[in-house]
Amino acid sequence: MKNKVLITGSNGLLGQSLLKLLKNDESVNIYATGRGEDRFLENGYTYHDVDLTNGDEIHQLIADVKPDVIIHSAAMSRVEDCEDYPDLAVKVNTEATDILSDAAIQNNVQHFLFISTDFVFSGDQGMYKEEDERNPPNFYGQTKLRAENLLFDKTDQLKISIIRTCLVYGQVKDMSRSNIMLWGRKMLSEGMEIKVVNDQIRTPTFVDDLAQGVIQCFKTRSEGVYHLSGAEVFTPYKMVEIMADEYKLDKKLMTAVNASTFKEHGKRPLKTGFIIDKAKQGFNYQTTTFIEAMKKVLS
Ligand SMILES: NC(=O)c1ccc[n+]([C@@H]2O[C@H](COP(=O)([O-])OP(=O)(O)OC[C@H]3O[C@@H](n4cnc5c(N)ncnc54)[C@H](OP(=O)(O)O)[C@@H]3O)[C@@H](O)[C@H]2O)c1
């Protein structure tokens, strides 16, 4: 019997990468859900238009599909949006996770995977392990922390994995938000001067590595908390600099600045990045090198 796998946020960066990797997988039937029209637009899955702020729609979706596995990737993922619209951020990131996991319990879902973030950590330490203390510096991180906590309370009723990731980059169709790699190339190739942060520490994540790790996680039914990111430590400036070198773009257009230069609302943690040994050992999580991944994304 094929496993029924439901992906939320299927129009997003991770969602589309999951669809790309799973649409021809003979061992699963894929159900995708996003807000509004399907933007991946390929064969190999069934699409449902569901707004996750509507609890009735969530319950109806799970009762109709009756999935074996849910990969909950949808989120209000921009820090600024969460600061500006806190009620909506709670609805999408926390309450929808609560409702979806309740519906999963009621419909005997076998495995629930929730995608969380490095922004649950304060950023004082860097290179976080799964069990490190969480203390989000912004509202986005708080909504995800609350979602993690309510899931921890349901682990006796539902097999749950919390997968945290960090600074994801890649390219998919009709993206609703950009990422550092695409932005850097666009600006430099248009001859624009850019300021790029050089005091934030991250382990940037190639979206296809993340998607493959999520797939390995559900295929091995690995429950618990896992950190999935790249294995190399970079600042955003270093990422763009490597790209500029590779594509012979003008590095003189780049200025390295401290994060404090930007008057962003929604404080970013200074040092994150992950130790990823648990996922490597648990389900053979593998990472592409930054250079290799960059060539795949920008080819
Ligand atoms: N990208 C990163 O650097 C990063 C880092 C750490 C953690 N994460 C987490 O990883 C997950 C995947 O991230 P991503 O980069 O793929 O994010 P993304 O591209 O922003 O995708 C999130 C998707 O959720 C959808 N969504 C938002 N509100 C919704 C609602 N009310 N109903 C239904 N769908 C809704 C969005 O729809 P629209 O396309 O219509 O906006 C979007 O397609 C998220 O949970 C995010 O918090 C991401």
Side-chain angles (χ1 to χ4, degrees), residues 9 11-15 34-35 39 50-53 73-77 92 115-118 140 144 165-168 176-177:
N11 284 324
L13 180 59
L14 173 59
R35 183 170 50 176
R39 302 208 297 269
V50 171
D51 182 346
L52 295 177
T53 60
S73 173
M76 193 160 158
S77 59
V92 177
I115 312 301
S116 190
T117 172
D118 55 335
Y140 164 67
K144 286 285 194 174
T165 189
C166 169
L167 190 58
V168 186
S176 54
R177 54 177 288 207

Side-chain angles (χ1 to χ4, degrees), residues 169 206 209 230-232 286-294 296:
Y169 62 88
F206 176 36
D209 289 348
E232 295 155 283
Q286 295 188 359
T287 56
T288 309
T289 64
F290 179 69
I291 289 272
E292 234 181 292
M294 178 182 67
K296 287 186 184 176

Side-chain angles (χ1 to χ4, degrees), residues 177-246:
R177 54 177 288 207
S178 189
N179 51 68
I180 176 93
M181 189 173 279
L182 303 181
W183 172 79
R185 181 174 68 171
K186 179 174 184 298
M187 298 301 275
L188 293 182
S189 55
E190 288 174 1
M192 307 287 280
E193 291 186 2
I194 52 174
K195 290 180 180 161
V196 193
V197 172
N198 202 24
D199 64 345
Q200 282 175 347
I201 300 296
R202 302 285 185 264
T203 45
T205 310
F206 176 36
V207 69
D208 288 358
D209 289 348
L210 171 62
Q212 191 57 51
V214 170
I215 292 167
Q216 290 293 107
C217 182
F218 83 71
K219 287 201 169 172
T220 55
R221 292 285 192 267
S222 302
E223 55 189 316
V225 183
Y226 290 95
H227 284 178
L228 300 191
S229 73
E232 295 155 283
V233 181
F234 291 119
T235 67
Y237 182 89
K238 189 70 193 165
M239 292 171 77
V240 180
E241 186 182 44
I242 294 171
M243 186 199 61
D245 280 335
E246 183 66 28

